[in-house]
Amino acid sequence: MGIAQRVNPHILDLKPYQPGKPIEELERELGIKNAVKLASNENPLGPSKKAIEAVREALSGVNRYPDGASYALRTRLANKHDVDPAQLVFGCGADEILELLAKVFLAPGDEVVYGWPSFAMYPIVITGMGATGVPVALNERLEHDLDAMSAAITDRTKLVFVCNPNNPTGTSVGAAAFDRFVAGLPADVILAIDEAYFEFVRRSDFPDSLAWVRRRPGTVVIRTFSKIFGLAGMRIGFCIADPEVSDYLQRARHPFNVNRLAEIAGLAALDDLEHEKRTRELNAAGVEYLTRELAAMGFETWPTDANFLLVETGAAAYDALLRQGVIVRPIASRLASMPIRLEVSE
Ligand SMILES: Cc1ncc(COP(=O)(O)O)c(C=O)c1O
């Protein structure tokens, strides 16, 4: 029997996540320096200086395992969000929270409803557990079609992902539509609201997802330190859920899934309000600049509530920009795989 015959059948179906091209790889290939990476929605200002300082000080302690309970960070975030510390679960990036949700709740035969195109990890964690993804096409404005998502829910639906703001479109759903959608969800469906870009949101009617965590058992809000806090390389994210869901997620995680430096960096970053504010302002100015200038050049963009912008170009733009040392993320293949096809110029 070959190896492939011994692999879990649903793992055979997995296609690896395609990360944005690393800066070092492009610089090596082109023999250039100062390449610019826009493909992974990182913080161009870098990490907070307070986080760097805290990590430097903590380096000599890495012979010790981390505090597996993340006591300091847990207490700090629980205060910040006015939740019980037991409601928080930390992960090696928000990615791990997605994986934990899949591990805890999904089995073959279960269905998971999510908008598409959206974050590429959803189909990976779903397929990895042998469950069935039910992608629901975004509407013509490339926003979540919450009515179509409601209609896609069946007796087999175990979990729903709502990515708000949505990666890779940057579009978001407002409170009225979101609240209507959640109010109509069957009580036994787990709702995971992925708010990786929460801190960049500019619309005033953004949903109060934490209010749903308080009100609706089985609701999980996912956040990360990778984006506004500039700690993508540290790998730390978390979720806030009701204590029962959190308890099951805690059971499923590795005891030291968040490393000591990540915890320390996260804690320090939370205190650097100036860095957070500067990042938010820089992003808002960048969104306005790019939207204006791309429009002047004849390119269509979509309104974004995140720290990236979706631009309609031809496929040639990706390679042309790479040759200039600028790494962007082509998403035409994800758009083309929408159940209802949009026009995609490849
Ligand atoms: C919507 C969304 N969720 C989750 C993640 C994962 O974030 P992390 O770096 O915390 O694993 C990303 C990263 O790009 C994302 O865009």
Side-chain angles (χ1 to χ4, degrees):
M1 209 202 304
I3 298 286
Q5 282 72 42
R6 283 173 277 169
V7 171
N8 281 336
H10 42 267
I11 299 297
L12 286 176
D13 293 338
L14 280 184
K15 293 192 187 58
Y17 178 81
Q18 297 288 337
K21 194 178 185 66
I23 289 187
E24 297 79 2
E25 187 179 307
L26 182 68
E27 292 185 343
R28 216 168 38 239
E29 283 170 9
L30 295 183
I32 59 164
K33 291 247 176 312
N34 303 323
V36 176
K37 185 178 177 192
L38 304 177
S40 300
N41 316 332
E42 296 149 335
N43 188 330
L45 290 178
S48 135
K49 298 265 181 312
K50 289 188 179 176
I52 297 173
E53 203 39 55
V55 167
R56 218 175 253 139
E57 268 176 37
L59 269 172
S60 60
V62 295
N63 55 317
R64 303 287 177 200
Y65 284 99
D67 168 13
S70 305
Y71 176 81
L73 189 57
R74 177 180 300 280
T75 311
R76 175 76 173 75
L77 276 173
N79 283 335
K80 176 175 171 169
H81 295 296
D82 192 21
V83 295
D84 190 309
Q87 293 182 258
L88 285 149
V89 182
F90 294 93
C92 177
D95 278 344
E96 193 190 7
I97 302 293
L98 302 175
E99 180 114 352
L100 287 174
L101 284 167
K103 186 174 167 188
V104 167
F105 289 108
L106 301 182
D110 292 336
E111 292 180 355
V112 184
V113 170
Y114 54 96
W116 195 254
S118 191
F119 187 43
M121 282 303 294
Y122 304 150
I124 292 178
V125 300
I126 296 163
T127 308
M129 293 307 297
T132 304
V134 181
V136 175
L138 305 182
N139 65 22
E140 66 290 348
R141 294 186 304 281
L142 298 188
E143 296 158 357
H144 274 71
D145 186 339
L146 295 175
D147 290 339
M149 288 175 71
S150 293
I153 287 166
T154 70
D155 291 348
R156 288 187 298 278
T157 309
K158 252 310 184 36
L159 176 64
V160 171
F161 285 118
V162 179
C163 187
N164 199 30
N166 187 45
N167 176 3
T169 56
T171 51
S172 63
V173 292
F178 183 81
D179 290 349
R180 202 168 46 244
F181 170 73
V182 181
L185 274 183
D188 56 357
V189 168
I190 302 293
L191 169 64
I193 309 158
D194 185 344
E195 295 186 339
Y197 301 96
F198 173 79
E199 296 84 356
F200 294 104
V201 167
R202 293 183 299 160
R203 71 186 294 163
S204 55
D205 67 336
F206 195 73
D208 182 357
S209 57
L210 290 178
W212 280 109
V213 171
R214 288 188 194 97
R215 218 178 309 156
R216 182 185 182 278
T219 304
V220 184
V221 172
I222 301 165
R223 303 268 175 93
T224 181
F225 284 91
S226 294
K227 306 300 175 184
I228 203 157
F229 297 110
L231 295 174
M234 278 289 179
R235 311 305 302 128
I236 177 161
F238 64 97
C239 70
I240 301 174
D242 55 88
E244 193 180 357
V245 166
S246 294
D247 177 40
Y248 288 112
L249 297 173
Q250 293 285 19
R251 295 184 202 196
R253 73 175 174 88
H254 296 192
F256 304 114
N257 58 335
V258 174
N259 75 73
R260 179 176 270 273
L261 299 179
E263 256 176 63
I264 283 166
L267 194 57
L270 286 176
D271 283 335
D272 197 343
L273 297 178
E274 180 56 29
H275 178 264
E276 188 180 339
K277 178 165 171 277
R278 275 208 308 140
T279 305
R280 195 180 290 110
E281 286 170 0
L282 178 70
N283 185 63
V287 166
E288 270 150 42
Y289 170 78
L290 279 172
T291 305
R292 189 177 61 241
E293 296 300 319
L294 286 163
M297 292 166 76
F299 292 110
E300 186 178 2
T301 58
W302 276 260
T304 182
D305 257 319
N307 65 345
F308 54 86
L309 191 66
L310 177 64
V311 190
E312 161 110 55
T313 66
Y318 175 70
D319 286 326
L321 284 166
L322 264 194
R323 284 193 298 275
Q324 309 269 334
V326 179
I327 308 167
V328 295
R329 181 77 73 111
I331 65 143
S333 58
R334 262 191 273 174
L335 287 172
S337 66
M338 282 174 74
I340 298 169
R341 281 189 59 122
L342 289 178
E343 278 311 309
V344 176
S345 44
E346 282 238 55

